[in-house]
Amino acid sequence: MPLPSQITCRDIAQTNAFAAELAKVLRVGDVVLLDGPIGAGKTHFVRALASAMGSNDNVTSPTYTIMHVYETDRGQLLHLDAYRLSGVAEYRDLGIDDLAPEAITVVEWGGTVAAAHPEHLMIEFRIVDGDDNARELLLGGIGQRWAGKMGAQA
């Protein structure tokens, strides 16, 4: 399935459906970076993604703990939050270089640490003006892994 470069999710159900479609594409070693303002739905998206991957874990924001690990039918899902990190060096101090190749990694506020992952999928969340439930998602793939996965606007 080619991934869209842009998609508008009008409600939570559409966001969940897109997370389920993305889950089908992800494999161990993949890194997904999420960006967007507070309240844009980044943690909700990870919750929907984990669920679609078969996790029964309670997915919560890792803002203060920095990282949560969820068990899924496809292996571990690392859920990180880079909001409080000063940059790539502090991020690497978490040992992510050792952990990421053995899991699927999703990082909220991922733009802060994009340089640590030469191959990644970036999803930017934008709140749609005038509609508190709608989100515009802009997707961009970096690296050979994502080059063939990116498609047209949806």
Side-chain angles (χ1 to χ4, degrees), residues 33-36 81-92 107-117 120 122:
L33 306 178
L34 308 178
D35 249 335
D81 190 316
Y83 184 76
R84 298 181 333 128
L85 300 179
S86 61
V88 172
E90 188 175 9
Y91 178 73
R92 285 197 165 124
V107 184
E108 296 188 36
W109 304 98
T112 304
V113 297
H117 298 287
H120 65 263
M122 174 65 82

Side-chain angles (χ1 to χ4, degrees), residues 13-14 18 29 38 52-54 58 60 86 91 94 101 126 140 142:
Q14 287 184 348
F18 178 68
I38 291 173
M53 293 172 58
N58 182 29
T60 60
S86 61
Y91 178 73
L94 298 172
R126 292 184 180 171
I142 304 297

